[in-house]
Structure formats: C-alpha cells, structure tokens
Amino acid sequence: MNRTAGVLLPISSLPSKHGIGCFDTAAYDFVDFLVGAGQTHWQILPLSPTSYGKSDNSPYQSYSAFAGNPYFISLDALVEEGTLTAEEVEKADFGKKPGFVNYKKLHENRLKLLRKAYERSNIASNAAYQDFLQNNEWWLSDYALFMALLDFFGTETWMEWPEDIRQHWGFAVEHYHKELYFEVEFQKFLQFKVSQQWGKLKAYANSKNIQIVGDIPIYVSVNSTDVWAHPELFQLDEYRVPTATAGCPPDSFAADGQVWWNPLYRWDVHRANGFDWWCSRMWYMFQMYDVVRIDHFRAFDEYFSIPYGSKSAADGHWEKGPGMDFFRTLEWRLGKKQVVAEDLGTMTETVRQLVKESGFPNMKVFQFGFDPADTGFGNDYLVHNYGENCVVYTGTHDNETIVGWFSGLNDEMRELVRNYLCDHATEDQNLYKSFLAAVMRSPAKMCIIPIQDHLGLDNRSRLNVPGTDVGNWTWRLKSNQLTAKLQKEILDTTLRFGRFNWANDRKENA
C-alpha cells in the first residue's frame, strides 16, 4: 500500500497579492512547494461562491452546489489578457491587513473589476466560452439568473422575490432572462473564468503528480439556486419554506449542538429518480477534484432533523438516510471513485457499518484521541488504534490549531498527552513537531496536515469556530511563511515515515 501525505490549505488562504487567495502565481508556487516537500495531496475547501453577510462567507453555505467562487479569479491573469490594467488592480482597495481576508472590501470592490473585465472581453466570440455554455447549461442557466435576480431585487434571499419568479414559474424565468440579459451573461462569464483558471491550475498540479482533494458539503444553503430551482428535492412546505433544518446534537465542537439552517433532503424523491441530482453533483465534483471528501458523511446513515425556526438543536431528532442504496447507485453510474468519508461526530454501530460497507477511508483526528470524557486507550482516535484504510489529520478546518489545542489543555491532560507521546523533554512551543511525527508514522494510508500545524501557529490562525458566524474563514498565509527551511522539514518527516511521493522522484530521474 502506498502511504501518502498532503497539506490542507484553502484557496482563500493562499498568499496572493490582491486581498484573497486565488488561482494566481501564489497557487502555482504552492504546488511547487508541495512537490519539493515530497507531498502527494493538496486538500482544499469547497470552491463554492459565498455571500457577504449572514453566512459570513462560509464555503459550506453557498449559492450553488455546482458554481465556483468568483473571488478566486486571478486578476493578474485578466491583466495579461488585456481586460484589466495593472493600474486598475493596484488602485483597488481589498484591505491592507496582511494575513487577513477583508470580505467587505472584496464585496465592494472586486466584483467591480470583474465587471469591467467582462465588458471589455468580447466573450461571446470565444469558442471555448461557447463550449462551456453548452456543456454546463444544465446548472449554469438557473444559477446565473438566480445571482442576477438577487442583485436586481436587492434582497438577501430568493424567498423575498415576487411569487411568479419565487415559484420558478416558466413564463417568469423566461421574462427575467430577457429583462436581465447582460447581468445573466456577466454571471456566466464569471463561471467560465473560474472553470478556465481552476482547470489550468489543477492540470498543473496533476502534471506534478499532486492530487487535489476537494470537499463537498452534504447540504446546500436554503438561499441557493438548488433549493429555488428544485424544491421537490427538499423538505419544504407549499410556500417553499423549509419544514426542517440540518444540524447536530451536542458534541466536542459545540456543547449545545448546532443549528445549520440547511434544508433537509427528501430522500424518498431522490431514491425514486435514481439519485439523479446527487449523481450529477458527484460526477461534476470528480471533474474538479481527484479525491472528494464528503462532509458529514454520517448523515447518509442517519441525519439530525430540527424543526425549522428552532434556535436550539435540543429540539431535534434522528431520521434515517439513504444508506448504501445511494452509494451502490453512485458506483453503478460513475464507477469506483476516490472518496473520503468524513464520519466525525456522534458515532453509532450503523454509521460504522455504513463506512465499512462503502469501503471508503474514514477520518481520524489526532486531537479527538484525548477527549476528557474518554481517556481510555480504546479511543478510536488514538494513533495505535487506527487501521490502514483511513485519513489522519492533526486537525481539520473546524479544529483549533494543534498548538492552540495543546496550550488550552489543563495540566492533567497535558501530562496524558506527553505520556502518550513518550515526550517529556520538548518545550511546549516545539511539541507540535512530535504531534506531526505521531500522525505521520501512523498506519493510516493518507496523512493530511493543515499548513498552520506545519508552521506551529496558535489559534490566531484558526480558520473556523463551529457554531459561530463572525470572524471565520479570514486567515491567510503570508508570503514569507513558505520557506525553504519549512519545505525541507516537511520533506524530511515525509521521507522518514515512508510517505514520500515517489512518482515525482521517478519522473525527475527518468
């Protein structure tokens, strides 16, 4: 079995020049950094478009299950194409604080530049663009109209629109396509640029034997094209208001549980039509990524249902999901694919059985091995209990950094951790390297480490705090942090524990 290693770094966190990470030189440089560090995988978060406002730009609360984030379009590439000038880009205010994404500034100023690029592009005569429109009409037309309508009506959600278009009636859809023609075309242009630039970046990574691990949220936002255009697939009432919402009961992330506000699926309808929408979604994800991590995998076994409008997850209950019926259908229609099952959270025997029967590697998070409520050595998340068919992390985008986590433990738990590592000599500020070594030496076939943990950063570099909606998704690398010294340290650890990407070594010596 090939043992591999990779790094978790969202596109938004790249050290790009113009306010947010994007598909620019910084992304290509990071691929080269991974190659030099002997890595095999680059794990990212969903590429979905996010909204400035109530959702706090979470990639897990997106306008679409298929579209890409226009913020990730490289402005430098548009300058090279001649649709923007370097002066226009340099003059734009995206925020001056390095290492931080200012979404307010991006919302106000980045789209203005992208609109200029569209108006100067003469895109309609572009053959590649026409091919893109033809190949993606099945989701793109509704999405582009949806985004144009949000801007036209000046509303935060589609539920505030006039009834004819809110209900997606055919004559209203046709009317607004004509009425908002150029706004709709602008949205299609943005998606073409996302697809074009991401396709080039992924092809570059693959040419360097770096696989992209993508992330697919199990749920979609209530304020999404998918719910507006396909209400029959979701648990909605006659007025298209959700009857129940997704969430989870109390766990290690949130003591009071979480209410996510995502509408739940009508799995009976999905099953009756052969899971068409889901198979289309997964097919599309595998055009974008090499490996797909399915967020909240356990909901395919049982999902937590909370009455819509409830502010507490205590009002929720468990209901049965589609189980193996879905995954058998998926394999029958798409063939065997590389999937990672994010099975974190409340575990039951039926969840374990679903993971086992699917054959997908599940996730292990090092921090969870030291749950104060379960300090026994039978804990599934302790390294010595891992099997081979899993993916191990020091932490995910929802966790504290490994340094922040350890510093927050009480003296008793710190002693427990040190005893487990057999390391009582290393000073606290450097102990993170022992954590990295522990997961790298584990039997897990894949090891993914957030870049913050490779850098030994504290919780000021944390990406997301579940259950909160302010201040998340803003952390970015600084350009001077990806040093040759760090690259060599990662390479040495990767070699030491047999996770080196030998494909690149063979390529260089061919």
Side-chain angles (χ1 to χ4, degrees):
M1 181 193 71
N2 291 329
R3 290 159 49 80
T4 63
V7 175
L8 170 59
L9 178 68
I11 296 295
S12 62
S13 295
L14 285 163
S16 303
K17 291 189 296 183
H18 306 303
I20 191 170
C22 63
F23 308 139
D24 67 353
T25 302
Y28 289 82
D29 289 345
F30 186 67
V31 170
D32 294 340
F33 178 88
L34 293 175
V35 172
Q39 304 299 283
T40 302
H41 304 286
W42 176 9
Q43 180 168 331
I44 61 175
L45 297 186
L47 294 178
S48 326
T50 58
S51 61
Y52 174 72
K54 289 184 178 179
S55 72
D56 193 37
N57 289 280
S58 168
Y60 296 91
Q61 293 286 352
S62 175
Y63 288 131
S64 170
F66 300 93
N69 194 333
Y71 289 160
F72 296 161
I73 295 171
S74 168
L75 300 181
D76 289 341
L78 298 181
V79 171
E80 291 178 8
E81 293 171 10
T83 54
L84 290 177
T85 69
E87 182 181 12
E88 288 171 329
V89 173
E90 293 303 323
K91 283 174 60 179
D93 181 8
F94 302 126
K96 305 302 181 185
K97 186 178 178 182
F100 177 81
V101 180
N102 188 326
Y103 287 105
K104 184 175 186 294
K105 295 287 188 182
L106 290 174
H107 181 71
E108 292 171 351
N109 299 320
R110 200 175 186 96
L111 289 177
K112 292 178 183 177
L113 284 176
L114 293 173
R115 187 175 294 276
K116 283 184 179 179
Y118 161 65
E119 291 169 351
R120 298 167 181 170
S121 67
N122 193 28
I123 193 66
S125 64
N126 186 310
Y129 176 65
Q130 294 302 323
D131 287 342
F132 173 77
L133 295 183
Q134 183 175 354
N135 293 333
N136 293 277
E137 169 67 20
W138 55 278
W139 67 265
L140 180 61
S141 184
D142 272 326
Y143 168 77
L145 179 59
F146 179 87
M147 297 302 293
L149 286 165
L150 282 178
D151 188 56
F152 177 72
F153 289 118
T155 60
E156 286 193 0
T157 77
W158 60 272
M159 293 182 182
E160 302 171 68
W161 296 347
E163 183 180 14
D164 58 351
I165 191 62
R166 178 168 55 83
Q167 296 278 8
H168 201 263
W169 290 340
F171 74 88
V173 170
E174 183 178 354
H175 166 75
Y176 283 107
H177 264 296
K178 294 176 181 177
E179 180 78 10
L180 303 176
Y181 176 80
F182 290 107
E183 295 301 314
V184 170
E185 291 301 301
F186 172 54
Q187 293 296 331
K188 291 179 179 179
F189 165 81
L190 294 179
Q191 290 308 303
F192 171 63
K193 283 299 168 186
V194 171
S195 176
Q196 182 186 54
Q197 292 188 7
W198 172 246
K200 288 180 180 178
L201 176 58
K202 181 180 180 295
Y204 181 79
N206 290 165
S207 75
K208 300 286 187 175
N209 295 307
I210 299 295
Q211 287 195 326
I212 303 295
V213 182
D215 196 319
I216 175 173
I218 186 172
Y219 294 119
V220 299
S221 170
V222 66
N223 190 30
S224 67
T225 314
D226 312 282
V227 178
W228 170 62
H230 303 285
E232 71 282 359
L233 300 178
F234 302 90
Q235 295 182 26
L236 311 178
D237 65 18
E238 59 184 309
Y239 303 104
R240 303 200 175 189
V241 175
T243 58
T245 183
C248 67
D251 60 14
S252 58
F253 282 127
D256 297 324
Q258 299 174 50
V259 181
W260 297 334
W261 303 112
N262 304 87
L264 295 168
Y265 296 108
R266 287 192 58 188
W267 283 117
D268 58 330
V269 174
H270 286 270
R271 182 178 281 107
N273 65 23
F275 300 102
D276 274 347
W277 183 86
W278 260 103
C279 287
S280 295
R281 187 185 186 193
M282 292 298 289
W283 173 85
Y284 194 76
M285 292 302 103
F286 281 107
Q287 309 309 302
M288 298 175 66
Y289 314 124
D290 301 300
V291 183
V292 172
R293 171 192 178 271
I294 302 180
D295 186 64
H296 201 54
F297 182 90
R298 66 143 300 131
F300 287 99
D301 174 59
E302 289 183 316
Y303 59 89
F304 203 62
S305 174
I306 304 168
Y308 193 73
S310 296
K311 295 183 179 180
S312 171
D315 298 328
H317 64 277
W318 292 102
E319 294 189 6
K320 288 301 294 181
M324 276 303 299
D325 284 354
F326 168 67
F327 294 107
R328 292 190 189 99
T329 302
L330 188 68
E331 182 175 342
W332 175 64
R333 296 182 67 170
L334 304 185
K336 283 190 176 294
K337 297 292 183 182
Q338 293 188 77
V339 170
V340 174
E342 189 271 289
D343 60 338
L344 308 178
T346 305
M347 290 295 290
T348 65
E349 285 306 314
T350 56
V351 175
R352 290 188 176 93
Q353 181 60 33
L354 179 62
V355 172
K356 181 179 179 181
E357 196 170 349
S358 73
F360 302 142
N362 64 339
M363 286 178 54
K364 303 294 183 183
V365 176
F366 181 83
Q367 296 178 26
F368 292 175
F370 302 93
D371 184 346
D374 183 9
T375 57
F377 289 104
N379 187 311
D380 286 348
Y381 295 102
L382 287 171
V383 174
H384 70 273
N385 289 325
Y386 298 171
E388 291 184 354
N389 192 32
C390 66
V391 184
V392 61
Y393 298 76
T394 46
T396 73
H397 60 277
D398 284 332
N399 292 109
E400 298 177 84
T401 66
I402 199 70
V403 167
W405 168 76
F406 184 75
S407 67
L409 298 178
N410 60 36
D411 290 343
E412 181 182 357
M413 289 302 298
R414 287 192 196 184
E415 183 68 11
L416 179 68
V417 172
R418 284 186 177 276
N419 285 339
Y420 187 79
L421 294 174
C422 298
D423 187 343
H424 294 270
T426 304
E427 295 181 355
D428 282 3
Q429 62 267 31
N430 290 320
L431 191 62
Y432 72 92
K433 295 183 180 180
S434 294
F435 298 139
L436 303 188
V439 296
M440 289 287 268
R441 75 166 67 96
S442 77
K445 68 178 181 181
M446 187 187 301
C447 176
I448 305 289
I449 297 175
I451 193 66
Q452 297 98 311
D453 290 347
H454 276 302
L455 288 162
L457 302 177
D458 62 25
N459 278 342
R460 288 173 292 183
S461 301
R462 184 173 182 174
L463 198 60
N464 179 51
V465 180
T468 67
D469 57 6
V470 176
N472 297 316
W473 319 109
T474 59
W475 177 80
R476 295 180 65 207
L477 271 172
K478 297 175 183 176
S479 57
N480 63 354
Q481 289 180 295
L482 293 176
T483 63
K485 179 175 180 291
L486 176 66
Q487 186 183 53
K488 186 176 186 305
E489 287 179 355
I490 298 173
L491 173 62
D492 288 347
T493 305
T494 304
L495 280 167
R496 184 175 301 120
F497 297 115
R499 296 186 180 275
F500 181 73
N501 187 345
W502 292 104
N504 276 319
D505 187 65
R506 288 192 293 272
K507 185 177 180 180
E508 290 176 5
N509 292 289

